[in-house]
């Protein structure tokens, strides 16, 4: 198919000239995920010379993605060369897109006594966007004014109407499925046609209707029509493995590879940003990085910098960028860099639904994720025992059987041999999972700072994390549990327990494990209480922008990626205009 062939041709590594002694670039972008990829796309489209620093290697989709590999085609069916899966040492999964790790050799972080935090880092071009769930939800109008709504947290310096045009641009470019529902908690957008629900999702919709809970087509960054040379999804359902046809959005394929064709982009891979160098004017004049291949320090000179290394990594870079003018870290006279760390509240339940047993086996793959979801439905109710809210993500169907798919079956059924196999086949596809993703309210006990005693293998001081859920989040997770129980029982099912007990064994997710961290370099109107202005530009350093989730003032119940793209697009346009006017 011509469209698929064109999409497959996107992004060969040969597009880029990898240079180690560059001239002065207009802009250096640090990080190649949703924010960095968007900045690269917008700036190069406007004719600006950009250098992109990525700490990991170049991505080759045809080599690195495994979405069409069957388990029987690989050694040990994907358990790892040394059976790592069986011993809990397989960090993400053999078939997953190679986008990062919980633990990176030589790149530690520390956690303060009394805290729990897990930090997922990506180390490859495109970062987490190569595999993420691609749930794409707009923040609501009230999400930008939380303090005005319930007196908790702080209001953003922007309103929904200001960012809505950039949501439009983001959705039109990356491609987002959905339907216009007129719900305040789930603002409508620029949508591609939705994906029809699967059998288990139809049953969940019916159960939710009986409980007066909305269950609508999901908003996902997967293409149901070709967009910008990217082929429509072929419904293999393996989006977590990466997508060779670029039908599932990734900044690498949709933004960075095309930008390489403009002649305006130079990519530096294996480049670990260490420090932003400030000149006598108080502006960034160079980026210091460690070339991981040679373990040598190098610098790239520039007119401006966009930091988009992920919320915590961006805070680490600014805190490590000290100078006589910025003794507390770059752009941190307010002292807020590293503060107001948040993650999404997570809790999930699984259930067995007898009505789904014995269904004819059929390909129910669809997209790699839910075809319907539940937006927050109690946003205007004042009688809850917790503030804010959550949405519900739905799982089930006939996933590809592989090692671990039937974990727990022997605990549910006695016997062995043919009888046990027959019972497993009978209940295959008869399970649903419901996962809550809710808002955390920033608190003073949750932040990251530089550990004064530890450095990584490159000599760069590492982060130390402090994290604590408040009663707001704990009570919210309890509400999730009760709601999920009601839905499963309304389905005629039986609750089995937490879908992710290793992460949610205490009734709420461990901080960081939902991988939605945000808020460490917050924006605001007052330089005394914020690091950035409403355009993600540093108050104190006008040629410094931050374009990931670090600028976020709050962390609503909507997954952060779409908002990262929207705010990064706005920031990049603002930077380009500041450069045109000679202000940067």
């Amino acid at each position: 198919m011509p469209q698929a062939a064109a999409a497959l041709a996107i992004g060969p590594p040969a597009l880029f000239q990898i240079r180690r002694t560059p001239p002065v670039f207009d802009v250096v972008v640090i990080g190649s995920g949703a924010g960095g990829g968007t900045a690269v796309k917008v700036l190069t489209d406007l004719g600006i010379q950009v250098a992109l620093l990525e700490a990991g290697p170049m991505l080759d989709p045809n080599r690195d993605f495994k979405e069409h590999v069957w388990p029987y085609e690989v050694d040990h069916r994907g358990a790892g060369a040394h059976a790592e899966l069986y011993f809990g040492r397989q960090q993400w999964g053999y078939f997953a897109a190679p986008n990062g790790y919980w633990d990176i050799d030589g790149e530690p972080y520390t956690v303060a006594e009394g805290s729990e935090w897990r930090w997922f880092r990506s180390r490859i071009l495109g970062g987490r966007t190569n595999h993420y769930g691609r749930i794409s939800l707009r923040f609501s109008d009230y999400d930008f004014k939380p303090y005005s709504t319930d007196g908790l947290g702080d209001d953003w310096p922007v309103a929904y109407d200001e960012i809505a045009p950039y949501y439009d641009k983001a959705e039109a470019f990356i491609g987002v499925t959905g339907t216009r529902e007129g719900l305040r908690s789930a603002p409508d957008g620029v949508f591609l046609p939705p994906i029809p629900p699967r059998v288990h999702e139809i049953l969940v919709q019916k159960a939710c209707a009986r409980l007066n809970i909305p269950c609508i087509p999901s908003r996902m960054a997967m293409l149901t029509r070709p967009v910008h040379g990217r082929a429509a999804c072929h419904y293999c359902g393996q989006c977590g493995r990466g997508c060779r046809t670029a039908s599932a959005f990734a900044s690498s394929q949709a933004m960075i590879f095309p930008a390489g064709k403009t002649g305006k982009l130079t990519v530096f891979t294996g480049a670990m940003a260490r420090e932003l160098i400030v000149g006598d004017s108080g502006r960034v004049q160079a980026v210091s990085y460690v070339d991981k291949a040679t373990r040598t320090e190098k610098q790239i000179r520039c007119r401006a910098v966009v930091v988009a290394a992920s919320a915590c990594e961006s805070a680490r870079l600014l805190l490590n960028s000290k100078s006589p003018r910025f003794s507390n870290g770059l752009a941190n006279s307010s002292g807020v860099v590293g503060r107001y760390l948040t993650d999404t509240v997570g809790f999930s339940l699984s259930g067995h639904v007898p009505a789904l047993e014995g269904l004819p086996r059929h390909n129910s793959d669809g997209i790699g994720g839910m075809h319907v979801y539940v937006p927050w439905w109690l946003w205007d109710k004042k009688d809850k025992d917790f503030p804010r809210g959550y949405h519900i993500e739905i799982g089930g169907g006939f996933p590809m059987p592989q090692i671990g798919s039937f974990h727990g079956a022997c605990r549910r059924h006695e016997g062995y041999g043919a009888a046990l196999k027959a019972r497993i086949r009978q209940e295959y596809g008869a399970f649903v999972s419901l996962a809550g993703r809710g808002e955390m309210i920033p608190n003073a006990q949750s932040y990251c700072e530089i550990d004064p005693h530890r450095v990584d293998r490159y000599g760069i001081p590492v982060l130390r994390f402090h994290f604590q859920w408040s009663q707001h989040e704990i009570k919210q997770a309890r509400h999730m549990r009760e709601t999920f129980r009601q839905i499963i029982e309304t389905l005629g099912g039986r609750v089995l327990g937490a879908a992710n007990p290793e992460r949610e064994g205490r009734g709420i997710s461990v901080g960081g494990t939902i991988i939605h961290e945000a808020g460490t370099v917050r924006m605001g109107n007052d330089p005394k209480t914020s690091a950035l202005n409403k355009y993600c530009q540093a108050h104190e350093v006008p040629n410094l922008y931050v374009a990931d989730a670090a600028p976020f003032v709050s962390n609503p119940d909507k997954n952060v990626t779409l908002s990262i793209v929207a705010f990064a697009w706005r920031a990049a346009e603002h930077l380009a205009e500041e450069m045109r006017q000679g202000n940067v």
Side-chain angles (χ1 to χ4, degrees):
M1 297 184 295
Q3 291 160 335
L8 283 167
I10 291 175
L15 282 176
F16 302 109
Q17 180 181 2
I18 309 299
R19 292 187 288 183
R20 298 297 178 183
T21 56
V24 177
F25 285 92
D26 291 331
V27 179
V28 172
V29 176
I30 302 172
S32 62
T38 300
V40 164
K41 178 249 183 311
V42 174
L43 293 171
T44 56
D45 281 353
L46 294 172
I48 293 172
Q49 291 283 350
V50 176
L52 173 63
L53 267 63
E54 166 54 50
M58 176 59 67
L59 172 77
D60 182 346
N62 289 322
R63 178 196 66 208
D64 297 324
F65 293 164
K66 305 182 182 72
E67 81 266 30
H68 295 145
V69 177
W70 290 89
Y72 66 79
E73 295 179 313
V74 299
D75 292 341
H76 309 294
R77 295 181 180 263
H82 303 287
E84 292 89 345
L85 176 67
Y86 294 116
F87 301 99
R89 295 196 297 266
Q90 196 176 80
Q91 292 212 52
W92 194 248
Y94 172 82
F95 293 101
N99 76 307
Y101 310 92
W102 293 107
D103 301 295
I104 302 177
D105 185 32
E107 296 186 39
Y109 61 92
T110 64
V111 180
E113 185 177 355
S115 292
E116 279 190 292
W117 178 267
R118 294 283 283 154
W119 188 21
F120 187 87
R121 274 91 34 95
S122 290
R123 294 291 185 262
I124 195 166
L125 193 84
R128 302 176 191 178
T129 66
N130 291 309
H131 97 284
Y132 80 114
R134 298 180 175 88
I135 299 168
S136 301
L137 308 174
R138 295 187 179 205
F139 292 178
S140 306
D141 63 328
Y142 60 79
D143 289 326
F144 291 101
K145 303 298 176 185
Y147 180 80
S148 297
T149 301
D150 59 23
L152 297 171
D154 294 284
D155 289 344
W156 292 55
V158 298
Y160 176 81
D161 289 345
E162 294 176 72
I163 198 65
Y166 291 93
Y167 278 133
D168 290 349
K169 291 182 179 185
E171 290 163 342
F173 181 78
I174 70 177
V176 176
T177 65
T179 51
R180 301 182 69 84
E181 301 286 343
L183 298 172
R184 187 178 177 188
S185 62
D188 294 326
V190 180
F191 294 138
L192 297 172
I195 309 98
R198 307 174 180 98
V199 173
H200 72 279
E201 291 166 328
I202 292 173
L203 294 185
V204 171
Q205 279 186 314
K206 292 180 177 179
C208 287
R210 292 174 60 186
L211 296 169
N212 294 316
I213 296 174
C215 185
I216 66 175
S218 56
R219 282 100 187 255
M220 309 288 281
M222 286 100 160
L223 304 184
T224 51
R225 289 177 181 168
V227 172
H228 300 301
R230 296 161 51 211
C233 179
H234 55 280
Y235 297 143
C236 75
Q238 304 302 309
C239 306
R241 301 180 177 198
C243 183
R244 295 184 185 182
T245 62
S247 307
F249 168 69
S251 66
S252 51
Q253 296 161 290
M255 293 172 162
I256 298 171
F257 291 160
K261 298 178 181 179
T262 67
K264 301 294 183 181
L265 177 64
T266 304
V267 175
F268 296 83
T269 56
M272 191 75 182
R274 185 183 71 82
E275 182 182 2
L276 303 182
I277 308 298
V278 178
D280 294 338
S281 66
R283 299 188 178 205
V284 178
Q285 64 180 18
V287 177
S288 169
Y289 71 95
V290 176
D291 184 323
K292 293 167 72 172
T294 62
R295 299 287 184 90
T296 58
E297 181 178 343
K298 299 185 178 182
Q299 290 187 7
I300 300 180
R301 294 181 296 156
C302 57
R303 292 175 57 193
V305 173
V306 176
V307 178
S310 82
C312 298
E313 197 75 75
S314 292
R316 177 192 181 198
L317 179 60
L318 296 183
L319 290 170
N320 277 325
S321 298
K322 295 184 178 181
S323 65
R325 184 189 290 259
F326 298 104
S327 60
N328 198 32
L330 187 59
N332 191 33
S333 294
S334 63
V336 303
V337 175
R339 301 282 164 170
Y340 305 105
L341 172 65
T342 59
D343 187 29
T344 292
V345 180
F347 182 75
S348 59
L349 279 184
S350 64
H352 174 244
V353 182
L356 294 172
E357 285 197 358
L359 287 179
R361 301 300 185 253
H362 63 281
N363 185 346
S364 70
D365 283 349
I367 61 172
M370 58 193 186
H371 292 192
V372 299
Y373 90 109
V374 175
W376 180 231
W377 67 101
L378 299 175
W379 57 268
D380 58 344
K381 303 301 181 185
K382 307 297 184 183
D383 57 350
K384 309 187 304 298
D385 67 349
F386 65 95
R388 316 294 168 80
Y390 58 91
H391 72 261
I392 304 174
E393 301 174 6
I394 299 164
F398 296 125
M400 180 185 290
Q402 57 191 30
I403 286 180
S405 293
F406 306 104
H407 179 72
C410 292
R411 288 199 301 267
R412 294 192 299 274
H413 310 297
E414 294 184 0
Y416 59 92
L420 177 60
K421 291 179 181 178
R423 186 68 185 108
I424 290 173
R425 290 190 180 98
Q426 180 181 358
E427 67 178 16
Y428 174 53
F431 300 93
V432 296
S433 63
L434 303 172
R437 296 292 181 259
E439 179 166 359
M440 174 186 178
I441 297 172
N443 65 65
Q445 289 72 44
S446 298
Y447 61 95
C448 57
E449 62 183 352
I450 299 300
D451 188 317
H453 307 295
R454 295 289 299 277
V455 297
D456 64 16
R457 63 167 41 157
Y458 311 109
I460 304 172
V462 307
L463 285 179
R464 177 168 58 196
F465 289 94
H466 304 252
F467 191 80
Q468 181 176 309
W469 296 118
S470 73
Q471 285 299 309
H472 300 315
E473 292 80 42
I474 292 171
K475 290 179 179 179
Q476 181 190 109
R478 290 173 184 164
H479 190 276
M480 292 178 185
R481 176 189 287 273
E482 177 58 22
T483 300
F484 302 164
R485 181 193 63 78
Q486 291 180 20
I487 293 174
I488 291 170
E489 291 179 355
T490 302
L491 282 168
R494 175 174 60 90
V495 173
L496 297 178
N500 294 287
E502 70 285 352
R503 183 175 68 190
E504 301 163 356
R506 299 183 183 178
I508 191 170
S509 54
V510 172
T513 58
I514 305 299
I515 320 180
H516 289 173
E517 63 271 18
T520 56
V521 193
R522 61 161 41 188
M523 65 171 71
N525 291 323
D526 187 353
K528 295 181 180 179
T529 58
S530 61
L532 311 172
N533 65 19
K534 64 191 295 184
Y535 297 104
C536 301
Q537 178 186 29
H539 290 300
E540 302 172 279
V541 188
N543 69 338
L544 167 63
Y545 288 71
V546 180
D548 44 33
F552 290 7
V553 179
S554 62
N555 197 344
D557 69 289
K558 290 82 177 177
N559 304 44
V560 294
T561 305
L562 180 66
S563 293
I564 291 174
V565 174
F567 274 93
W569 202 307
R570 185 171 182 260
E573 287 190 356
H574 185 267
L575 170 57
E577 180 60 20
E578 289 288 281
M579 296 178 74
R580 188 189 69 81
Q581 294 184 14
N583 298 327
V584 170

